[in-house]
Each structure stands twice: as structure tokens, then as C-alpha cells.
Amino acid sequence: AGGITRNWRFVVLLGAIPVLFWFYADYRDTKPDANDLGNWKLGRLVILNALVDEPARLDARGHTELIVKLHQLLYPQERQASGRCIIRFAGLLDLSVGDWVEAKVLLDKQASKHQVWEFNQAEYLRQRCASRSARLTKLADLRIVKRSEHDWLYSAKQAVVASRKHLLDTHCRLLGDTEGALLTSMVIGDRAVNLPDSLVKQFRDVGLSHVLAASGFNLTIVSGCTLFLVGLILKNIWLRNAACLMSMLAFVVMAGPSPSVLRSAFMLCVLLLYRTMNRQGPISMALAVALLAAILIDPKCIKDAGFQLSYVATAAIVLGVEPLQKLLGKAGPCFGIVEMVSVVVVAQMGVLPIQLYYFWCLGLFFLPANLLVAPFVHLVTLSGFACSLLVIIDQYLGWFQHLIWLIDKVTWYPLAAIVSCVKFMASFERAKLVLGAPHIACLVFYYVSFVLLLFSLKLERWRVVSAGVLLIAICLLVWRPTPPCSLIAFFRNSVAILGQDRRAVVLGNVSSPVLRKFLLYHGALVSEDNLDWRVEEKEEFQQVFSAQMKTMVVQIDSNVLVQASLPGSDQFTTIILAVKGSSPGKIVDALLCNQQFGRYLEQEKIVWLVFDRGLSKEAQVGLSNRLPSCVKIATRTGGSLVLEAVNESIKVRN
């Protein structure tokens, strides 16, 4: 906004526009049509007739996702249907966009609420513009009613998908799976390439996730090379800019419309327009116009984490790099290191609150990692673009196979250096700082302090005061109060016990995604030597004992409940039994036949019985009538169940 006008009132007005769009996107909710499956209440099993709306894709778990546009509901009651539905199934089907299909599916239950660390079904559907999701149990339950007649738009989409796949396959064949996928991601972005989760996590832990995404650097290479090559042939500035615009559109199509790619494309359009009029366009104005254009086209995009990271990092670089570089440059010549440090520090300071808000952790090696990897990244990206262009041309002509092999083999060395550096830094236990979710007030105070620091650097006044205020804001951002209680969280295949020291003991599967997100959200790490908890593992079950709370947590299978030798009750006053398997009624029958459980009831110990499935109110009342009042029933209805423990009192956490 400051690049457009110097009138501070107008600047404030323009700065308030994204905030207003944020509230608009937060409260706007697209309601499903009356004929949509979202309002279907009679049953979960349905037979529907639909049109394939998007090509099938693999999700993170290896299942196939198919997005269809509903046309008619055939069972249990024939009627019209509308909206979009996501069908998930295991396996592959030969389906094309425009095919009419008939499918017998099980509709997923709509989750009324979820914890922050659990899967957000509403957000999952909103991102795919769908109102329902369903599961196909057998591939035979889906049949093609009518094949589509491919039009030119579908053919163009298929050509782009084929080019991406050919590009990825060629690089993986010449470089290896990891290096090939990494090179393709550095050229066209991670939105167009399915990178291994372990590799993405390592780059994120060391603060190099921006290397995997297509950004302004990629588009700068495309536009700069186009202007240079076309300038050797044509001197007309209109034709050169038109050629640059066409190459930019081609890159956007190949990379996909990610927030960073669209931001760079909008900014390049503004700068090309200024260049056509023989004027120098300010970068800050181009960024402001790109932001306004993006939120006007799609107001809900402002809630996307990638959108926020891209625009905030770019704004911080545009406004803060030059004054910081000028300040650091007074120390003497540093052979370009000052510029690199300024860019890395300012960009990281700009996105720090957003990273903590969405990912709940911070990579501590972002500065050395960027300084070490940056020279290799520039070299690999330039050679990767040249080789990828030859791969796409060779797909149709077949002239450059030997040249592609040579470039990829030369590129492998700096690419392997990047991978080795990232793996080495990520191998340290303290490579990232697990903090948990910050308070929204701390985020606001931090950004106010950060903007004041940028203005003070530009004005060369009050720099020490503004830096001190920002330091206080950083301390508030990373500081977490001591939790007032211990938490016991139950998941599908694991139980996590968190102490007040933010150390966790886990029974069962430690690699569960929901468990990992739960630990990140609470700023906790798995502990091997926690003195507050004593872990014992027997043939029948696993158990954890807390002497401080006098509580025993036992994870046990329902098949061994009758004969299981449950722990003695002398040391603890409360026992929590997390039972897996079988129906709740059979579990209660098995417990009542267990001798040690009978002793718990005789001594009136407090027993929490945690079921691994949801129960209706009638079922809970029926089970409670069969058990004494000292037995309390809890169910894991969603992705998790959390119990709060304060001293010797335990309750379900809302």
C-alpha cells in the first residue's frame, strides 16, 4: 500500500482490506443445496449416478480419491441430487473426466466437532469444493454407465498431466527416486509432485521448506530467460513482453495455481505492464496489486497457510532487506554474505508467527541451512530448468536424450550435497523447537512490533527501542506457561501421558499422525527416561504408573480381559483401562469375570473404562446400571479422547 500512495489514511484503508476479507472468509459458509447428499438422513448406504468431475488422484495414505458431480440418487429413494462428492477407494480404475458412473458407496459421517490436532473433515471438503465424502468398499461396486467424449480442454489437461509424469519419471530414472523427485519439485513446485513425507519433514525441520515450492525465483528464471532469448530475435518491446507473458502462463499451468505461483504471476503482470509503458514499477506496488487481485478473485484464499506465508515473506523482504543490509554493511565488506543473511533473517522473522500458528514448531537451523544450501539451490534450479525444458521437448521430438543424461548427471552432485546437508542437520534432536500453539494476541503484538522495526530501520531512528520491543514480542511468542495438569490422551492404537514438564510417555504406536500432531500442539516430546512415570510391559498388556497422581494407565486387548493379571491396587487410587476390540457389552462381561477387577470394586477404587468406539446415550446408561458408581465410562468417539488429571482428580477434557 505504501508503494501506491503516501497518504497514510489511504494506506490504512488498503491495509484493512485483507483483514476485512479475512473475517468475510471466516464467517462465509457455502450451504449445500436442498437436494445435496449433505441433507440425506435415511441411511449411509446409497447408490448414486454421477459425472466424473476431476481426474482420480492418490492421497497421502495411498488411497484413490475421485471427485464426482452428483446427478441422481438411485437408492434408497430415487430422486435428484446435486453438489460434489469425494469417493475414496483402494486400487485404480480407468476413469476419465466426463465419464458417467454408477456407484454403491458408504457415506462418511459428518463430524460435528474435532480437536485441533485431529482431521478436519469440513476443511478437507471445503478445499475440494465438495459437501460430502464417501467410501467405495469394492471396485466392482462402481461401473461406468457412459464414456465421455473428450474435448480440447480435457485433452490439454491430460497433456499437462502426462508432461509432469514424464518429467518426474525421467529425472527419477537418471538421478534416483529421492533426488529426481527433489529436482522436479524445485523446478515446478511440490504441489505438482508427490514428495516423500520423510523428505518434506526434514526440509521443514531445518527451515528449507521454501526450496520445495515454486515461487518468484522460479518465475524470475522463466521470464528472464524468455526476455533474453526473444530479445536476440525481436526488438519490439510489446512482442517481447507478450512472449514473456506466454511463457509465464505455461509455467503456471505446469506448476499448478499454488498461492506463491499466482502471487509471482500477478506481480510479473504488473511489472510487465509498467515495462510496456517504459516506466519502472515499484515492487511494493506490484505486491499490493497482486494481493488485492488474489483476494478479490477468491476471498477464502486468505485463510490458506501457503497464501499467508508467501505474501508475508515477500512483503518482509521488499520492505526490510534494503535497510537491514545497509545497517549490517557498515561492518565492512563481507563478499555478499550480508545480503544473503538479510534476506534469510527478514523472511524468517516475517513468517515466524505463521509457522508457529499452523505447524506448532520452529526450525532452529534456518540461518546456517539457508547459507549453506543457497548456492547449490541456485545452481540446481537453473540446470533443472534447462534440463526439464529439454525433457519436455524430447517427449515429442526425441533429439536430446544424451544431453539430458549429461545435465542430470552433472546436477546430481550439488543435488546430493543439498540432500546430505538437510539430512545431517535434521538428524540432530534439537533441530527444531517444539512449542505448541501460540496465543493470537501474541501474534498481533509481534507483527505490530515487526512493522515498527521495519519503519525504524528505514527512518534510521529509534532502532534500539524498536528492536527491544520486538525482542519482547519474540519472548512472548515462544514462551508457554507451565501446564496446570497432566493429560492422558487416547488414540486408535496408542495412549499418551503428558506430564507438567512437557515430556510424554507413549504406549503403543508412536508413529501415529494424530498422536504426533497432539504432541506438537502441546509442545511435548516423547521421553525415554521420565522419572514421574514408570512404564511396564507384560504379555497381556502395557501399563504406566504415576506416583505423583497415584494413577495407573493400562492398555489392554479385550480378548485377554478375563485371565489378565491386572496390577495390584496398593499403590494407586485410580486406574484407567483403555480396552481395544470387542463390543462394550462383552468387555463389561469380561471385566466382571476378572478377579482383580472385582477387588477394585470391593476397595471402591476409581476406575475409568475407556472404550475404543462411540456409544449412544442409551448404551452408556445400560452399561452404567450394570457397574457400581465408582466406575466411570468414557468413549473415544473421534480421533482422540483427552483426560485431565489434577492431583488425584480426573475428568474428561472438553
Side-chain angles (χ1 to χ4, degrees):
I4 299 177
T5 177
R6 294 184 178 179
N7 189 326
W8 68 270
R9 294 182 179 86
F10 195 54
V11 170
V12 172
L13 176 62
L14 290 178
I17 289 178
V19 179
L20 296 177
F21 270 97
W22 168 273
F23 287 107
Y24 173 69
D26 191 40
Y27 288 103
R28 192 183 78 171
D29 185 17
T30 304
K31 297 181 180 180
D33 189 88
N35 294 325
D36 200 333
L37 290 183
N39 293 333
W40 185 254
K41 301 294 185 182
L42 296 182
R44 295 184 64 222
L45 177 63
V46 299
I47 300 178
L48 51 89
N49 185 278
L51 177 71
V52 178
D53 202 35
E54 290 187 13
R57 59 182 291 273
L58 293 177
D59 61 8
R61 295 174 294 179
H63 296 162
T64 302
E65 283 188 355
L66 183 68
I67 299 182
V68 298
K69 187 178 295 184
L70 301 174
H71 174 68
Q72 191 176 15
L73 192 65
L74 304 177
Y75 175 83
Q77 176 185 350
E78 185 173 351
R79 62 185 178 91
Q80 290 296 114
S82 61
R84 292 186 4 141
C85 180
I86 302 175
I87 300 177
R88 295 176 289 105
F89 54 90
L92 297 174
L93 287 174
D94 183 19
L95 294 171
S96 304
V97 175
D99 289 346
W100 286 94
V101 297
E102 183 179 301
K104 181 169 68 173
V105 297
L106 292 173
L107 294 179
D108 293 333
K109 292 182 179 179
Q110 295 280 30
S112 57
K113 60 181 181 178
H114 69 283
Q115 301 287 354
V116 181
W117 53 85
E118 295 175 353
F119 173 69
N120 189 345
Q121 186 185 21
E123 183 67 17
Y124 165 77
L125 296 175
R126 186 193 68 81
Q127 291 178 353
R128 289 158 179 78
C129 302
S131 57
R132 262 294 187 180
S133 62
R135 178 165 46 91
L136 188 71
T137 56
K138 298 184 296 183
L139 294 181
D141 291 338
L142 187 145
R143 67 183 186 91
I144 301 174
V145 178
K146 180 182 177 182
R147 284 286 186 181
S148 65
E149 297 180 1
H150 298 166
D151 55 1
W152 67 271
L153 182 60
Y154 172 76
S155 301
K157 291 181 179 179
Q158 290 298 102
V160 172
V161 173
S163 297
R164 288 176 183 168
K165 187 177 184 303
H166 178 70
L167 186 64
L168 178 62
D169 292 343
T170 302
H171 287 314
C172 290
R173 175 171 51 85
L174 296 175
L175 298 173
D177 293 339
T178 302
E179 288 79 6
L182 177 58
L183 179 61
T184 310
S185 176
M186 293 174 65
V187 173
I188 60 176
D190 57 344
R191 296 279 181 114
V193 181
N194 288 326
L195 290 170
D197 294 337
S198 58
L199 185 65
V200 175
K201 181 179 180 298
Q202 289 171 348
F203 271 80
R204 183 182 298 160
D205 288 347
V206 299
L208 290 174
S209 55
H210 61 277
V211 173
L212 305 177
S215 60
F217 177 63
N218 303 60
L219 209 54
T220 301
I221 294 176
V222 173
S223 57
C225 293
T226 303
L227 289 175
F228 174 75
L229 295 176
V230 176
L232 298 177
I233 304 173
L234 302 174
K235 300 301 180 184
N236 189 301
I237 191 172
W238 287 81
L239 296 178
R240 293 167 63 185
N241 290 343
C244 182
L245 184 63
M246 294 301 295
S247 64
M248 177 200 71
L249 293 176
F251 176 77
V252 171
V253 170
M254 280 294 296
S258 65
S260 58
V261 171
L262 292 180
R263 172 193 55 77
S264 305
F266 282 134
M267 293 180 64
L268 182 60
C269 289
V270 175
L271 296 178
L272 285 177
L273 181 61
Y274 264 82
R275 189 172 181 273
T276 304
M277 297 184 296
N278 293 321
R279 296 180 60 186
Q280 185 72 25
I283 303 295
S284 57
M285 188 208 64
L287 179 63
V289 173
L291 174 61
L292 292 176
I295 60 178
L296 286 175
I297 293 174
D298 182 15
K300 282 196 171 185
C301 71
I302 198 170
K303 295 192 67 176
D304 183 75
F307 180 92
Q308 298 171 18
L309 289 170
S310 177
Y311 278 89
V312 170
T314 306
I317 291 173
V318 170
L319 299 176
V321 167
E322 185 178 350
L324 182 60
Q325 182 181 350
K326 184 178 179 181
L327 177 64
L328 297 178
K330 295 179 180 180
C334 297
F335 308 102
I337 297 180
V338 169
E339 182 180 356
M340 295 174 59
V341 171
S342 301
V343 172
V344 173
V345 170
V346 170
Q348 183 63 40
M349 291 175 64
V351 301
L352 174 62
I354 301 177
Q355 283 183 334
L356 292 178
Y357 185 77
Y358 286 105
F359 307 115
W360 312 324
C361 60
L362 172 66
L364 299 179
F365 292 163
F366 68 91
L367 184 57
N370 278 275
L371 294 179
L372 290 174
V373 169
F376 298 111
V377 169
H378 294 168
L379 178 61
V380 169
T381 307
L382 287 171
S383 60
F385 263 104
C387 187
S388 299
L389 181 60
L390 293 177
V391 169
I392 295 175
I393 297 175
D394 182 76
Q395 181 181 2
Y396 301 99
L397 300 180
W399 293 348
F400 306 104
Q401 295 182 4
H402 298 291
L403 184 57
I404 292 171
W405 178 87
L406 178 61
I407 297 177
D408 264 2
K409 291 301 180 182
V410 173
T411 308
W412 182 87
Y413 294 98
L415 199 61
I418 294 176
V419 175
S420 300
C421 181
V422 170
K423 288 184 177 180
F424 174 73
M425 291 188 175
S427 63
F428 289 94
E429 183 181 356
R430 299 297 180 181
K432 65 178 180 181
L433 187 62
V434 180
L435 295 172
H439 196 276
I440 191 66
C442 298
L443 270 68
V444 175
F445 178 62
Y446 176 88
Y447 273 119
V448 171
S449 306
F450 182 60
V451 172
L452 291 177
L453 177 65
L454 294 181
F455 275 107
S456 65
L457 289 176
K458 189 173 183 179
L459 298 175
E460 298 184 357
R461 299 174 61 186
W462 308 304
R463 289 180 294 193
V464 176
V465 176
S466 59
V469 174
L470 182 64
L471 184 60
I472 296 174
I474 293 176
C475 294
L476 292 176
L477 195 65
V478 301
W479 175 77
R480 299 291 183 272
T482 303
C485 58
S486 298
L487 300 179
I488 306 172
F490 301 87
F491 305 94
R492 182 173 184 138
N493 294 312
S494 57
V495 179
I497 303 97
L498 272 66
Q500 294 185 348
D501 57 351
R502 299 187 185 277
R503 308 294 291 183
V505 175
V506 178
L507 300 179
N509 184 16
V510 185
S511 60
S512 170
V514 183
L515 169 64
R516 288 185 174 275
K517 291 191 69 176
F518 171 80
L519 296 178
L520 279 176
Y521 180 79
H522 289 89
L525 294 172
V526 178
S527 175
E528 300 292 341
D529 53 351
N530 198 317
L531 299 179
D532 295 334
W533 301 89
R534 187 173 72 247
V535 183
E536 296 180 6
E537 187 170 352
K538 298 186 177 182
E539 294 182 0
E540 304 99 332
F541 54 84
Q542 289 180 307
Q543 64 183 33
V544 179
F545 173 68
S546 171
Q548 180 181 3
M549 296 191 310
K550 297 183 180 180
T551 301
M552 179 72 73
V553 183
V554 178
Q555 185 180 31
I556 189 170
D557 195 285
S558 60
N559 297 326
V560 297
L561 267 178
V562 177
Q563 303 297 332
S565 57
L566 295 176
S569 58
D570 296 334
Q571 294 179 321
F572 57 85
T573 58
T574 303
I575 183 169
I576 302 175
L577 295 177
V579 187
K580 299 186 298 182
S582 199
S583 65
K586 294 181 179 179
I587 291 175
V588 172
D589 292 337
L591 281 174
L592 293 177
C593 295
N594 186 282
Q595 296 182 357
Q596 184 60 48
F597 184 77
R599 295 191 185 97
Y600 295 159
L601 302 183
E602 292 175 358
Q603 299 171 4
E604 295 185 350
K605 301 286 185 182
I606 299 176
V607 180
W608 278 86
L609 189 56
V610 180
F611 294 109
D612 200 33
R613 61 184 65 185
L615 290 176
S616 63
K617 292 184 178 179
E618 293 79 6
Q620 291 190 29
V621 171
L623 293 177
S624 299
N625 293 334
R626 299 179 56 189
L627 296 168
S629 59
C630 62
V631 180
K632 303 179 184 299
I633 296 176
T635 60
R636 190 186 62 82
T637 55
S640 61
L641 170 71
V642 180
L643 299 181
E644 279 186 350
V646 182
N647 297 327
E648 299 181 12
S649 175
I650 297 178
K651 62 180 181 179
V652 178
R653 180 178 180 182
N654 295 328

